[in-house]
Amino acid sequence: MDDLRSWLTQRVASYLGKDPSEISPSVSLATYGLDSVYTFAMCGDIEDHLDLRIEPTVAWDYETIDALAEHLSTLVEQR
């Protein structure tokens, strides 16, 4: 799960034009200003990266990188 958390942190940082060190995995993505355009892009990136279909609302259902990484890890394990 640490690899996935790191990958998600890097993706979020890239969308926001920030260094990954500026992104805390325990802070709500909305706090960083990640809007619907970026969250849909992130869902597409997640699907490509994990070869996994997810709902486009997943970033709102799991509001932090930590929560999202845990959820995605569970989905990957269930395949």
Side-chain angles (χ1 to χ4, degrees), residues 1-78:
M1 187 169 90
D2 288 339
D3 288 343
L4 184 53
R5 182 183 296 114
S6 176
W7 181 83
L8 287 168
T9 301
Q10 291 174 5
R11 295 304 316 140
V12 169
S14 173
Y15 298 140
L16 299 175
K18 295 182 176 279
D19 189 88
S21 66
E22 297 177 66
I23 306 298
S24 171
S26 62
V27 172
S28 168
L29 295 172
T31 300
Y32 290 114
L34 201 68
D35 64 17
S36 60
V37 172
Y38 287 123
T39 55
F40 282 118
M42 183 171 66
C43 287
D45 288 346
I46 290 168
E47 288 181 340
D48 291 345
H49 182 69
L50 298 177
D51 192 27
L52 181 71
R53 298 288 287 157
I54 58 171
E55 293 296 321
T57 59
V58 73
W60 288 286
D61 296 336
Y62 302 92
E63 297 179 355
T64 66
I65 291 172
D66 283 338
L68 185 56
E70 185 174 330
H71 173 68
L72 294 172
S73 292
T74 300
L75 292 179
V76 168
E77 290 172 6
Q78 292 175 350

